[in-house]
Structures are given as C-alpha cells and as structure tokens.
C-alpha cells in the first residue's frame, strides 16, 4: 500500500465517504509489509551510511556491473567482495577509478574518500603469512566502513614472544579481529591478554586433519578465553563488518 | 623474580657494588615472567572490576568452597556457572547470602550490589521456551558484569510476527544476544533488522539431525546477516561475557 | 496497537481533530506488527481448525497444565507430543477425559470428536516393528488433524513380497508416510510403486553405523524414487502434520 | 511370461490337454514378475502421462541421443536434467526444436505444448540470487509436468520485509518450493506464514562451514515450522517433481 | 489369492464357465504377490532349515514370548539375539530348556540338537578380550546355523607372533570371521595370510577417537588385503550368518 | 637365512662339527622370517594360480611396465586396475596383445586363456547405469580369476518389478555382487530374495547428501537383510576378488 | 614346536637317523611361530623390565585378580589402568599393599620400589584443572616405568604469563607431555618454547563443539609447532608410556 | 625496550639520577617482551643449529627467494618443504647448488655438508609404494637435521612376512617413523615388535572410505601398541622433525 492509497482512504474518511469501521477493515487487510518495507529501508539506508556491498563470487561481470550502476545512483561507495582478478579487470575497465586489492580479492569504488566514524582502532591480527588474504579482507572491510585499522601479521602461538612483542598495541585496540588457520589457537592467547571484543576468523589454511578450516573453527569455538566470538571459515568480510559495528556502537 | 630480589639488585647498582653491565646481564636472564605475572594480574584485576568466575561443572563442592573462600578475600562478587542443584544447596548452606538461579544453573555471591557500568542495554532473545536456560545464563552473566539487560523469549522464526512485535525494543539495544536451537535461524532474522552487534548462541535443543546443536551452530556460522558472530553450543556465559565486553567498550 | 486505539485515531480524523497527515504519520510509526499479529493469529486459528499442539519434551507438568488450561478456553482439541508416561499420568489426573497413547507418547484432549476433513486416506507404513512408535506418532497426528489413516507395519525391503502384498491398498492412498530405520530403503521401493506424495521419516532404530538414524536419513535423501521428501529423524509428528496439510489441499 | 504363453497354457487347459493341477504347478513357478512388469508399466505410463525424464549427468551424448530416440516413439515430451552446455549443444543439433535452459541445465523436447493439469499454483522461492539455478530446475520441472508455476527470488531471511512483501502471493499457492543455501532458514519463515505444503531444497551455495549444503540441509530438517519436508542438496528436480505430485493429488 | 481360489478359477475354465480371456484378465489383476508370498516363504523355510531368528533388543518380553510360541509350532530351533539378562531370565522361566549365553546375549531354544550341514570349519577370531562378546555372537550364530566353529581369541596385531602361532589352524578354515575394535587391523593381517573368505566385524571397543567403532570400521573397509568384506559395527550375528551362508554354498 | 646356510649348519651337526645345543642356539636367533618368507610365498603362488594384480592408480607408466616385465617371467596373467586411458595406451604400445576395458579401467595381459575354476556362477548386479563401471570392475576381476560371471544392470529399487524379473537368474547364482550408489538399497532387496552370499559395493554415484558414496555405504552396512557384507566405496575389484574366493571355496 | 621336539630332531640328525634334507624339510614346515613366540617373549620381558600393564575397563574383578595372580609370579610390578573405585576396592581387599590413585583411576602393585632408569625428567603439563586426571594418568605411568616426573598443572593459553612463569622448568625437561581439552592449544605454545619431544594428549574436557575431545585432537594434529606428536583422546597412559620410551632411549 | 634504553636507565640509577623505586616502576611497565624476544631468539638459533625451514606451499617464488636470501646471511642450510616442481626450477635457477627432491617435493640448500649429530639411526618405513613421497619427506627432513636415516619401504601388514624379514634392522633403530595410508595398521604391528619411539604418519593414500587419510589417522590414534604417537595426515616433515628431536635428546 503506498502512501497515496492510504492518504486517499483517510481523506475519504475525513469527508465522511467511508466509515471508521470500513477504514479499520481495510487497514487490517492492507499489505502491511509495504508500509514496513519503506520504513525498514529507510532505517537501512540510514544505518549503512553511504556504502553498499556486493558478494562477487558466482556473479557474472555483466550482473555485477548493472548492480554497481544502480547503486552508484544513490550510494557514495561500493565494495565488491570475493572478486576474481579477471572479473576485477573487466570491472576496472568500466570504472577505472576503482581499486582492486589482489590479496583480499576486494574491489572498492568511491566517489568520496572514506570518513572515519569508528570510535577506536580495530586491530587485525593473523597467525601465519598464509592467513594474510583473509586478514586483509577483514582489514579493508573495516576501513571501507569508516574505521581506523592497524594490522599485526605472522604472529603464531608457537612463537609466543612475537605476540607479546605487540602487547602494547594490542591492548590499545577497541576491537580485535584474529585470523588463524591450522589449530586456530591465536584468539585464545590474544583473548587472554586483553579485555576487548575479540572476533576470531578461522581460515582454511592447513592440510590433512585441518579439514579445510574445521580444526581452526572448532578450536576457536572452544576457546578457553572468555569474550571470543567466531565467524565462518575464511569470512574476513564478516569479521571486519562485525568489528565495525562494534566500533561504531 | 620477586620485587625484593630486583630491589636488592638495583640497590647494589646504586651502591656501586654491581656495574650496569652486570645488572643488564642479570636482567636479561631473570625470569621475566614473574615480573610479567604481577603486571598482568594487575591488569586483570583492574579490568575485571570486582568479580571473578568459577566454572562449576566437574568440580567438587569442597574445591569450589575453597576457591570461593580465597576469592572473597579480595573480590566483591563471585559467579559460579554450570552448578548442579545439589552442589548449589551445599554451597548455599555455607554462604546463605548467595542466590542460586535454577534454570541457568548460576550461583552468585555478592558483598555489594552490582553497579551498572555498561553503556547501553543488552537484549537477550531466544527462539523457543526450551532455549531459556541458555538465554538466562547469558542474561544473568551480563547483569552480573554490570549491564542493563532486557529479555525477549519464545520468538521463533516460524512466527515472524512475534519477532516483529518486539522490533522497537530490539532496535534500541546496544548489543543483542540470540540463543536458538533446532535450525538456529533467529540470529539471521534479528541481524537483518538491526545494525548492532549480534552474538548468536546455538543451543543443544532439538533431536535427530540437530545433532546436539550442530545444526544450529552451522546455521549461525552461515548466517546471511552480516555482523553476526557466534559462540560455542550452549555457551550462554560466553555470549553474556562477550556482550558485556562490547557494551563497556 | 489494539483496535480501540486505531478506532479512536480514525474517529478523531472523522471529527476533524486530526489531519490526514497526522494520521498517516502515526500509522507509519505505529507498531504495525500488532496489527499483523491479530491478522496472522486470525489466519492461524482459521487454518488450524480447532486444535493446538504442545511439544511435551523438556516441559514441566505444571507448565504443560497451564498451557492446556489457557488453550482449552478457545480450542476444542489439544495434542501433546513426546510426553513421558509419568508426566502423562499427572496430566490425566487433572484431565481424566484425555487419552495417552503409550507407544507414540502422545496425549490427546478433545471436547468434541474429530471431524474428518482430509480428502483421501493417508497410509502410514513402517519397515520394522521397532519403527512402530514413530509410525504411530505420524498416524495419530494425522488422525488428530482430521484425516482417515490406514497403517501397514513391519514390511521391510528384505521381504519384498510383504510390501507387494499390500500394493493395492498402497496405490489407493492420497499421501503415504513411510518410517524406516537402519538403511531406510522402504521409501524408495514404495515411491517406485505409486505416484502419490511419499513422506519419508528416518528413525533412530539400528546400531553401529546407523549412527542414530543418519544412515536412514541419508538413504532417504538420496532416494532414487522421484517425489520422496524427508523429515527429521524420528519426527513422526512432522510427517503426520505434513501429510495432513497435503491431504487437505 | 508374456501373454501368448499364458494364453496358450490356458487354452490347453480349456482343451483338456492340461489338467488344472499342471496349470497351477506351472503358474506357481512362472516368472510372475513379467506379469507384474506389464501391469506396473501400464500403471507407470498412465500416471506419467506423456513425459519421461533422463538424468543427463555422467551420460555420453550418444547414450542420451539413443534414449531420446527410443522415448520419442511413444512419449510426447522428454526432459533431460543436469545437462552441461556442450552436451546440450550436441543434442540440439539433432533436435533443433528442443529448448535448453542454461541456468537450470535442463533441456526439454516436446511434440505438443504442455497441458496444465495441476490444480493450483506452485510457488518456487529462493533466498539468494545464487540459489536461482536450483530454483529454476524446480520451477521448470513443475511446469514440464503440467503445473502453473510462479517464482519469487532473492528473498533472504535477513531482509524479512522482502519476504513479507510477497505474503499475499505466497498464501495463495497450493504448494511452495523453497530453495536456500547458507543457513537455509527461509523454509522456516515461509512455513510459519502459510498452511500449505512446503518443500525445502537446500543448495550448496555458501563457503566454509556451509560444507557444500550440509548446513542448509540440517537447518531445514530441524525447521521449527511444522509441515516442511526436505529433498537432497541441490535437488531442484526432485522438489519440482514432488510439488507436482502434490498439486495433482 | 490362495490356491483354492486359483484352482476354482482354472476349473471353471476347464468346464467352459470362464473364457481364456476372462481368466487372463483375472490373473493380471490378482494379487500376484500372494502367489509370490507362498512361493518365497516355501523357499525361505527350505533354506533356513528349521530355525528362525528374533532380534531381542527393544522388544518386550511378552512380545518375544508370543513370537516364540508361534514359531515353535513349525520351527525346531529359535535364536534370540541382543537379549538382556533380565529378559532372558523371564523367557527361561517359561522355556526352561533354553540356553542363555550371557557374554553374547544370545538365547537359543531347540527341540532337537543342531545338525552340522556346513562344509568346512568357520574360524572366529578376535583381537582383544573385550571383543569376545561380539566374536561369541558370531560363533554361536554360526553354530546354531549348523556349522563347525573354532575360536581364536585375544590375538591383536601388536603381538604378531600370537597370530602367527595359530597360522596352521587359520589356514585350514573354510571361512574366517575376524572381530576387532580400536584400529581394527587384524583382518588385514589375517587376510594376508590366507586365501579364504574373511568377514571383518568392527567392534565398538575403544575410547576417544575410536568413535564407537568408526575407526575400526574404516580400517576394515580400507583393508589392504584383498578379499576382506565387512559388516556393521558389533554385528556379530550378521558376520556369523554370512559365514554360514558361505560355508554351506 | 637361505637354505644353503641352513644346509651347511645341519651338515656340520651331522659331521659333529657343531653340537645340538649350538644349532638350537643358532636356529633360535636366525632370521626366521626368511624361512617364513619362502614358505608363505610358496603358498601365495599356489593359491593365486597364475595371476597377479597391479594397482595402476598413482603409478608411472615406466614403473608399471617394469613390474609387468618382472611378473611375466613367472606369471601367465597380469591384471592392472584403475588405469587411466592414456597410461593404458602407453602400455598397450609395448604389450599389444593386452586388452584395455575402458569403462572399468582394467587392463589384462594373458599368455593363455583363463581356465574356469570357480564352482558356480557369480552374478554382478547394479542399480543404475552410472554404477556400471564399478560393476564391470567386479565382473572382469571375477572372470580374470577364473569364474563364470553373469551381469544384471540397471535394476534400481524404485522399479522393483525389474529386479523381480531377474529373480530366477539371481536365485541360481553361487555368489552375488551388488553395486549401487545413491541410497544403496539394492543389496537389501536382493539379500531378501536369495540365501547366497551377497557382497555389496557402494559407489560414489550421487550428489549432495550422497557424500561421495557414504550414504550408500551406510545403507549397506545397515542392511536389514542378513548375510550381506560390504566392501569399500567404488571397490569393484575387491568385491570381484572376494566373490571369487568364495566361489572357489 | 617346543625345544624338546627340535632337540630330538637335531639329535636324530646327529645320530644319522635323519638326513639333512629331511631335517630341512621338517624345519620348513614346522610352526616357526612357536620359536618366534619364545624369542619375542624373551625380548618383551627384557625390554619391559619388571612391569606389566592391565587395561581395567570392561574387565570383571575376578578376571583382573586372576591376571594379577599369574603376573606376580614373574613380575615385580603390576599397573592396572582405567579402574573404577569399586573394582579398586575389591582388588585392594586382596592386595592391601597396592595403591589406588583415585583421580587417575590407576592401581599399582609393587614387590619392590621403582628404580629410576629414565635419563632425564619428564614434565607433564595440563591446561585446566579438569585435565588433571588425564595428566595424572600420564605422570603416574611414566613414574611407574622408572622415570623422574615433574608436573605443571592449570596453565592454559589464555593466561600466557602462567606458562611463561614455568619456562625454566619446562626447558630443562627431556620429554614433555601436554594434556589439554577445549581448543587444545597448549602443546603449540609449549612446542614453540622448547626443542624437546612434546607429546600432546587431547582430553574430552569441554562441551558443545568440543565434541568429546575432537576439537582438541584436531588442534594438536594441526599444531604449528614442529615436533609435536599426538595420542588418542584421554590417553594419558599412552602419553606416559611413549614419554618413558623416549626418555630411556 | 632495547638495551640502550635499559643501559641509560641503569646508568641514571648508578649516577643517582633515578631512585631504585623509580627504576622498579619503569621496569614493571617496560615492554618485557623485547627482552624476551632477544633471549628466546638466542635460544632458538642455538637449538636449531645452522638450519632453517620454509613451508613452500602457497608462497610465491619471489617471496621464497627473498626469505632464502635473508636466511643465508646467517644460516648454513635451508630446507624448503612442499615445493612444486615449477617453483623448484625457478629457485634452482638462482641457487644452482641446491638440490630438489622431486618425490618428496623438498629443496635443500647447503653451504656445508650436514654433520651427523643424532645419536642413533632413524628408520623410516612405509606400507605401500604410494606412501613413499611422505616417507621420503620424513627421511630427508631427518637427514637434513643431522641424523643417520635408514628406509624400509613397501611392507604392508597384509604381507606380514615382509615386515618380519626386516625385524633385525627395525629393532636396532633409535626412533622409527612409519607412514601408511588406507587402514594405517603398520604402526601397530611395528610398535608391537620394538620398544622404541614409533611416530606414525597417516597418508592420504586410498579412496572411498579412506576419506583422504582419516581412516589411517583414526587407525593410528587407536593403535593397540603402546608408545605410538601420531602426526597430521601427510605430515612427513613433522614426523622427521619429531624423530630428529628425539634422536638428539
């Protein structure tokens, strides 16, 4: 029910052309969801600020381009995740002002530079160099959403002194994203050092009994450090998004 | 190395009985961890405020009592989780001022009432009445840690209007904890309505292919709503703790 | 927003005390879901006829009794599922007119006898005698919902002649529910004989590599017979409910 | 035993060349299954109407062509499922009147247009755009089998208003097929809105802990909405087939 | 259709009261399966000799007793498997001539002693003393079915000399049943020593990563020794039955 | 210890150059396994007749050729399993008298035709046309080992009449190999019809929740038909080998 | 073949009653394994020193007592593992000189005190207090086998300073056993601090997604610290035994 | 805190510019980890001797080359694991003095030949020829770390005499690494023959229910031979490393 219909209905009531009972009856069966739709969408655009995200995997270049076109009418920034290099190349041909981040497979398009609106610094850590693509996805997502981001890479738990060497930086963070594959133990160690929200991202790095990230996922879900929460395997975007939501709270 | 040893060493330097080089050499090899221990513990007691948590499952009553005794020397509040009714009875005989929360199996002991230090309201929701014990564990943990907590129970996704009926309360929350068993879909729906941190707690409620909470856990990890993070199955405590950390950030 | 509030609002508009714009603004922000709530509930009571279902497992007797009390105000029939014998005994003490079905652990309370409103006969089959409790749960649920039900028990696929002996009855059914544990192959054989909807219910009957019904569940999901759909392990209620929905279509 | 043999046997009895006992003895050991074979096949061709289905995956083009040739002798319509584009091209070279549906990988060959014989409208919904190929497989299968089909795509549970916006269409359906990957929660929400048969199809869309569709499958099997039944992962054909069987009941 | 009906039908044909066509038509639609039923049952009683088996688990004593009663009318021997001691006691009160084998939880009732009809000796081996109950179930089942059985217990692969010490006996067997828990490696070693059928029975003996027999089951399915076949976890009965079928071939 | 050493030792005893005690001491510590080696190998060549098997997967062509060369010195027949077409081509270039069976990926080399030494006929059945490669591997292996083999393909349980149509052939078999993917139910049906050894081979045919053959494997392990034993997924060779061992017993 | 038979055979050769060829022939076919048996047993008793181990779980008290009786004839020490308190009580009634270790459920019987023959100190660590029973099983096993053992309990990775506080003791160990449940990360941290053999024991401590120790097991198998090896879940005995074997190397 | 800062601080104390209390306060909060970092690194280079390891998988050639460059400044030997042939070729172009081991995918670079510092001989065994790549990875790693290594390949448990033929060599080893795929039973047999540390490496060799090495992994974790420890699937490097650590103890 769009507002014109509603307005017309109420005007008729005002004019005495409809009784209160008739209007109530009509309101009861009107497609409330349209009312809701507008309302919710309003909320969504408010809360999302000026950015929108496209999940690139499994979408054709032509589909992505038409979504981008329609988004750029009213959005100032577009983020495309999980985009393969060849698709990125095709999209950049059309939008040469965009930036493709090869390791994290993210592509960003911005009419205006990002404004920082997060309250503190989000730290993104990872255990091994192979976890960097997932960590970068988290870091760039958080930056895109308007946060200061600091990264600490290649600090596995079998070299505990390397983690401790960064303790001061870690303790100043407002939120910490920790990506790790293999046994996925880094969030437990970090979670024990700080009292800040720790978002753990298991990565699919490993072989054999890592089972594509299951070992790391289970390790993180069973973390002995209180306050650690977990996202899906290799879900750097989700971790960065959640960190941003927390940082803007 | 306790402080006396350190003090003595430095005094000798001050008196000229040791050279700078000798002291450096000694410091290099001293058990740094004791220094660290003190330091970290200091941090821990600062950040934890005046509360401490005991995991009750698998501990004997006598063990729990002696831990409580030692904690109450310097803590103002103690929380015992996963405590069976019979153990609770034994502990309350000794500490009659304590409170046992039967559904959530938590026992709290407080010298002073809790002071609210969280910034907003934490909402704890659950999908079915059987999920309430886990939800209560989360809610009481968050309250114990100094947060305002509001609860919305029995709002499963197959009755979507019941969720929507609480939309205004939900949208005012600073952090939302969502407990659900079976297919664990509630966090996705809630996460789509708000732009606040959502912590999903899978519960072991269900039968057959729920596999003791695995179905709900997987559902939550694969949530199509961005910003949802997940804790272990039935880990109400962890969800409440994480929500509190976020709410105090 | 209950109807009185709405009525009052519209009457004020009728009286000119409110402008159309004010009413629209108010309607936009009113808790639409309450409107929806009433509406949906109306639908629900219409479609459900005069019955309501309580999942008995994990609920206290006192909780069940108070739910039954409130339901019987406006419902003519109540079905309680997964109810243990001792709870059933307590409930029957209060409602001696009820009937407890021990094998299927269902308890039914009816003010009036069931009226048949399903269009054809639902056949409930099971492979072994151990599957009968689940089959009975399906059969009694379908009967409770107003369907003619016929049962064919103990017809496993290793005695194919026993299945074929019932072929004529099977082919006359409008919907067929097939419960089986172990390898769960019966739905494939039945599905190959008829061209009617077949709802397969894996049971947890078996040992070792049956993994509590997983073998049967996987067998049914992979059925080579087109048109077979599957419900959760041991979910006789769900199968009977779905069969009833189909039979009344 | 074909009918000529049987006829000859009985004629000999009529002529007194065989005794009743000899005929009984012969009938006892005759391959009863041939009798059955004819009978069942008769039933099958009756119930199948004028269509036949070939599972294309893993079959060579030459094999498919010879099956099609033999089917078209007595069938009016042939459906080939899970057919890769290159095989489709080869088959269309021979049967240029056929139609290949690229997204759903179906190929249809028809001597006569489909006649609608289903009683109501089957609605096929899916949660995300990536689920569309599976949804299309279901929709086209149901159409091929003689049903009116309506589709509602890209209505995930994290945007609940988008689902509600289609509520009126949904409530008018006779059967609803719901395809969803990731957490697979859409069938629960839809199942809670309507009282019609809901067939849930988990898709393999997702990554990490979606485990190729297991998360969605488990979510659907554990649906809190009564009346939801489930088919195999990515089995759009099976869902469309089952929906058609229900719609023609 | 029992034989009287058939006989009557054919006699009418003989008398000219029915035409050949009428009889064919009648035969086509007669419940062929009854014919089949008789036939198959005849075969079954022939092949089964004079014994019948009841799966005792999950059956009430009263049910078992009534099945036994009906069986003993026409069978000379009854075997009840997976029978708990308390049920056994109740059954023996009624049939004091029966024998309960406590370790294997089998109960046998015989009107006449078993006659050996197997061609060679079946050897039943097991790896550890904890596997003996399953091995005994296999051994007693094979004996009950009329086979000479020899047992070799407690010969695990970590004491290879103990296996080799029995090599001569092993090599004379006609069929070998090998029960093993934990890593389930014994069938591979035995299968490498002989060229006789080896039936492997994984047992649920073990802890931790034995996962209730899965480790042994997988080990046996992956045996590097050709000719090893496998039955379900703890399925001593099935192994003994299969061995007997082979031994009588 | 080769025989020359042993002979020399005993001759010295005969000549009085060694005492009995010295010889015993020497025998005790001699590498008994060499003695055993000869002995066992003798047995192996006796029992294996004149054939040897090479597992082709993962071996280089050059490795296979050199193994074949060495085998053909003393063997009359060589079987290579799991051989890819390109490797087969290379091997046939060297041994043009060999035969490559493309569907089953077997290559056979024979100096003399196979002599039948099995006692009865081995029947190899499969459920769907996609299972034929595995069935062929079993059939050709059994033939290669000297057995009469008969095949019945494409008889799935959803078309039960097609199975029954072959009942007479099935009941005459001495051993039956049954290959099936998807729900793997065929062995249960066949096992219920006959009282002969049934060896079930799960195949990896299927998709989604077939999990590469796990569904079929579990179905077969949980078969309600006594006497069914199981081999690894896609292990046609193992099934044919085991059937041959049974058929020659 | 016992030595008397062998001696007699050789004496006959010495006396000329047997030819060398006859003796060789006889030796070829003699049950070599008896020879081997003696030999191996000799080795076993040598290497095992003066101790023997009985796995107590699933054994009756009477069985255990008779094994102990027979062992004490020639052994100086007996270790019984996984013994329940009630069985222990019964055994101690007979052997009051024994010692039952309640937490680790070990019972030891010694004629003489243990002599230390291990070369260094074995350190047994565990992550949480709930892991102590498994750690104690390892520690007491290693002590029983003649090793100096030192224990460091309750040092989880979320309190890294507590681990570091023991660094000096840890670095002096010759072998380290590390028991941990939940995420099982402690071996990775310890393995990164030292260059000594680290044996990781996953424990079943945890809940939900710890899956009875699987999470810890996978974490340890995927440890990023080189040199960590793993034993079965809760296998404290195995870890202590392996540590002892290494320490005596 | 680098040493200059520390030195300056202490010198000020020495000069009386700082009090002991001030220095203690400063030391308490100084970044102890830097101190630790130096210390630990010192230990690491001591214990690692003159070698360093690079995990090659997933690293770009350019990254590997720059790591090698920096390592060769202060290391005498570099080992690169899991290196594909094409990357190896590129690296050898730059370092032609290196050696690439194709089967094990290891590349070694050495300024000086390896010096043997292990105490005994490490034996590396494997069950099948397909396990050789993993076995070689273990053997070459152990050699690279300064150990005598002996290899025994292709000795599966289904040919027990082939294992026994090597018994003397096996019993002389100081540590034994055993690689096996399929059922993974070899470590149990070897562990029963010797009383030396046995490190089991499951390989991913097998098909069907081997599940990429899970069957072998579970078999080894459940080994009935005491003293067997296990590493990750295909982790030849880890096994060789652990064996070396034990051999140098």
């Amino acid at each position: 029910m769009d507002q014109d219909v509603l307005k017309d209905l109420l005007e008729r009531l005002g004019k005495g052309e409809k009784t209160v009972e008739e209007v109530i009856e009509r309101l009861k069966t009107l497609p409330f969801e349209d009312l809701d739709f507008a309302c919710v969408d309003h909320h969504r655009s408010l809360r999302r600020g000026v950015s929108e995200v496209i999940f690139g995997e499994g979408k054709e270049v032509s589909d992505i381009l038409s979504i981008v076109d329609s988004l750029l009418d009213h959005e100032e920034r577009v983020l495309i995740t999980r985009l393969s290099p060849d698709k990125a190349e095709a999209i950049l041909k059309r939008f040469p002002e965009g930036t493709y981040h090869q390791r994290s497979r993210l592509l960003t398009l911005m009419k205006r530079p990002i404004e920082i609106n997060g309250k503190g610094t989000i730290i993104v850590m990872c255990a091994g160099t192979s976890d960097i693509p997932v960590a970068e996805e988290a870091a760039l997502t958080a930056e895109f959403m308007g946060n200061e981001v600091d990264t600490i890479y290649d600090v596995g738990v079998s070299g505990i002194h390397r983690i401790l060497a960064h303790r001061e930086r870690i303790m100043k963070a407002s939120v910490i994203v920790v990506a790790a594959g293999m046994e996925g133990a880094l969030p437990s160690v970090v979670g024990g050092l700080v009292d800040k929200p720790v978002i753990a991202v298991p990565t699919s790095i490993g072989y054999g009994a890592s089972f594509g990230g299951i070992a790391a996922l289970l390790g993180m879900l069973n973390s002995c450090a209180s306050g650690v929460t977990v996202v899906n395997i290799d879900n750097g975007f989700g971790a960065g998004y959640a960190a941003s939501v927390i940082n803007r709270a």
Side-chain angles (χ1 to χ4, degrees), chain A:
Chain A
M1 175 183 251
D2 76 19
Q3 291 201 15
D4 292 341
V5 177
L6 181 61
K7 197 175 173 183
D8 178 61
L9 187 70
L10 295 177
E11 281 170 355
R12 290 178 179 214
L13 172 65
K15 292 176 192 158
E17 295 171 18
K18 291 269 182 192
T19 66
V20 165
E21 284 66 30
E22 281 171 331
V23 172
I24 285 181
E25 206 53 41
R26 181 74 186 85
L27 283 176
K28 246 183 185 166
T29 59
L30 67 74
F32 71 92
E33 59 281 356
D34 293 346
L35 198 70
D36 179 44
F37 190 77
C39 161
V40 167
D41 264 13
H42 182 63
H43 282 167
R44 289 172 73 90
S45 63
L46 277 183
R47 81 176 182 235
R48 291 227 165 154
V50 285
S51 62
E52 195 70 36
V53 181
I54 304 167
F55 188 79
E57 200 165 276
K59 289 207 179 64
E60 294 302 311
V61 166
S62 58
D63 293 344
I64 297 174
L65 283 174
S66 66
I67 301 176
V68 170
D69 277 334
S70 104
L71 283 175
L72 286 180
D73 285 352
H74 51 95
E75 301 289 356
E76 298 196 333
R77 285 191 283 279
V78 171
L79 172 67
I80 312 173
T81 65
R82 301 204 165 219
L83 192 71
S84 61
D86 54 314
K87 288 186 193 170
E89 201 183 326
I91 288 166
L92 288 179
K93 200 164 285 174
R94 171 78 173 283
F95 297 99
E97 72 279 17
T99 308
Y100 182 59
H101 307 266
Q102 191 150 349
R103 276 204 301 196
S104 58
R105 297 190 299 149
L106 299 180
L107 191 152
T108 50
L109 288 169
M110 302 192 218
K111 294 185 193 163
R112 290 197 312 171
I114 297 166
E115 285 160 49
I116 297 302
N117 54 43
K119 291 176 184 163
T121 297
I122 294 171
I123 284 199
V124 178
M125 302 176 70
C126 72
T129 53
S130 310
D131 302 318
I132 292 179
V134 174
E136 285 283 281
E137 194 187 51
L140 288 166
T141 296
E143 276 182 3
F144 178 83
M145 291 179 72
N147 299 280
E148 297 274 13
V149 175
D150 189 10
T151 60
I152 303 175
Y153 292 163
D154 197 16
V155 285
V157 298
S158 72
I160 205 71
H161 60 286
R162 285 186 291 173
I163 301 168
L164 297 178
H166 298 288
R167 203 176 49 156
E168 301 221 341
R169 278 164 77 199
I170 295 171
M171 297 187 80
K172 281 181 190 150
S174 60
V175 190
I176 304 171
V177 171
V178 185
M182 301 178 78
E183 79 268 63
L186 186 56
S188 294
V189 172
V190 172
L193 291 176
V194 300
D195 206 37
K196 295 293 161 47
V198 172
I199 298 168
V201 197
T203 75
S204 55
I205 296 304
Y207 58 91
S210 88
F211 299 135
I214 295 180
L217 171 62
L218 295 184
M220 290 169 178
L221 286 169
N222 286 287
S223 175
C224 54
S226 303
V228 172
T229 60
V230 186
V231 297
N232 195 0
I233 298 165
D234 287 339
N235 190 7
F237 167 73
Y241 189 100
S244 176
V245 171
I246 294 171
N247 196 35
R248 288 184 310 181

